[in-house]
């Protein structure tokens, strides 16, 4: 499977700054073999159109950081999957722990968002991960399985990306150890296999949480993960490009 590298810019930068950042990433990756790695940039909603235009012809894909589950209607402030598809988005991050923590997003809401993406041909990048408390209580595996099952309830096999994002490893510069990252990814793969059977094999399973150029390789070594979801380090085009180039290296 090709490696996948997703940039989550979170709430950083104006549309103009996003356009410049996207152009810088594309320029840094121009020499790389474009078919060796699947790169997705997920800017804030306000920058989607400009970033999308900057990515035309580069082979890099556009994604959003969230979506609402209805196509249109009286939902002030929300953005629908139809709108994202019309802007050329290929993917949408769904269920990020920051939305679960700060915006009260529940497993049931995440499931509706996943289904809405699928209806519009958008690949959900489904984030699941345990908190530090759940981990300390020995409930990490249980939590991952529950989040995954809830998010995919009733969904037939189809385009999907999974991201194991331990909440305690996000944004703090304290990445999971490669072994912990691999264990989380393995738990997700096993659960998806139980749900989808052989169809689970085509689903990239990423690690996310304080990934940097210096530590990224360890997360996909020996096929542990199929790639990475990058937050903070994706804001610096040189750092993000370094991660993408590492992911594009030919495997032994
Ligand atoms: P981080 O964010 O790389 O800054 O830890 C990752 C994420 O939130 O997806």
């Amino acid at each position: 499977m090709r490696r996948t590298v997703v940039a989550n810019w979170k709430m950083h930068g104006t549309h103009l700054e996003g356009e410049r950042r996207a152009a810088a990433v594309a320029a840094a990756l121009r020499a790389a073999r474009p078919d060796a790695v699947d790169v997705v940039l997920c800017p804030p909603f306000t920058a989607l159109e400009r970033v999308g235009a900057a990515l035309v012809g580069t082979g890099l894909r556009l994604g959003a950081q969230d979506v609402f589950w209805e196509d249109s209607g009286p939902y002030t402030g929300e953005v629908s999957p139809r709108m994202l598809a019309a802007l050329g988005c290929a993917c949408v991050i769904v269920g990020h722990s920051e939305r679960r923590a700060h915006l009260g997003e529940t497993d049931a809401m995440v499931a509706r968002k996943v289904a809405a993406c699928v209806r519009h041909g958008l690949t959900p990048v489904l984030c699941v991960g345990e908190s530090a408390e759940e981990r300390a209580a020995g409930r990490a595996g249980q939590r991952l399985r529950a989040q995954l099952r809830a998010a995919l309830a009733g969904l037939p096999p189809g385009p999907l990306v999974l991201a194991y994002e331990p909440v305690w490893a996000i944004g703090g510069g304290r990445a999971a150890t490669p072994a912990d990252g691999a264990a989380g990814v393995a738990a997700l793969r096993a659960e998806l296999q139980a749900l989808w059977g052989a169809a689970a094999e085509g689903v990239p399973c990423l690690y996310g949480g304080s990934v940097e150029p210096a530590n990224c390789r360890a997360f996909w070594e020996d096929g542990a993960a199929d790639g990475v979801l990058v937050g903070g380090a994706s804001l610096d085009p040189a750092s993000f490009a370094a991660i993408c180039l590492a992911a594009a290296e030919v495997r032994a």
Side-chain angles (χ1 to χ4, degrees):
M1 188 187 299
R2 274 195 328 172
R3 292 194 184 114
T4 301
V5 180
V6 179
N8 176 11
W9 290 355
K10 308 194 180 185
M11 196 178 70
H12 290 290
T14 67
H15 60 301
L16 299 176
E17 289 159 353
E19 181 179 45
R20 282 196 291 273
R21 186 184 295 131
V25 170
L29 293 180
R30 201 160 289 140
R33 293 176 307 128
D35 58 344
V37 58
D38 190 13
V39 178
V40 184
L41 302 188
C42 301
F45 287 136
T46 51
L48 280 172
E49 190 173 5
R50 293 261 188 163
V51 169
L55 297 186
V56 170
T58 65
L60 313 187
R61 298 195 298 155
L62 182 68
Q65 297 175 18
D66 184 37
V67 66
F68 193 60
W69 51 78
E70 298 289 349
D71 291 354
S72 63
Y75 304 103
T76 302
E78 294 297 332
V79 173
S80 83
R82 186 170 165 263
M83 297 169 184
L84 297 179
L87 277 173
C89 286
C91 313
V92 182
I93 295 172
V94 179
H96 193 281
S97 62
E98 287 156 7
R99 296 200 58 81
R100 296 181 193 253
H102 305 309
L103 282 305
E105 213 161 278
T106 63
D107 283 341
M109 291 159 77
V110 172
R112 295 182 80 176
K113 291 180 177 200
V114 166
C117 286
V118 170
R119 264 202 326 274
H120 286 271
L122 298 161
T123 299
V125 180
L126 173 63
C127 298
V128 301
E130 82 285 0
S131 67
E133 297 72 39
E134 288 162 343
R135 186 176 184 79
R139 289 191 285 112
Q142 185 190 327
R143 185 71 191 115
L144 293 183
R145 287 191 292 276
Q147 283 181 337
L148 187 67
R149 279 192 181 263
L152 301 183
L155 197 77
L160 175 69
V161 175
L162 292 180
Y164 169 53
E165 293 222 311
V167 177
W168 45 270
I170 292 176
R174 183 188 149 216
T177 64
D180 284 342
V185 167
L188 292 184
R189 282 185 179 146
E191 196 62 15
L192 190 67
Q193 169 89 38
L195 284 172
W196 283 9
E201 264 158 45
V203 173
C205 202
L206 316 182
Y207 165 80
S210 300
V211 173
E212 298 168 1
N215 67 13
C216 61
R217 285 181 177 80
F219 292 110
W220 60 64
E221 235 157 39
D222 300 325
D226 301 303
V228 287
L229 200 165
V230 189
S234 74
L235 296 174
D236 173 38
S239 294
F240 184 68
I243 294 169
C244 296
L245 290 172
E249 278 166 13
V250 183
R251 270 168 267 194

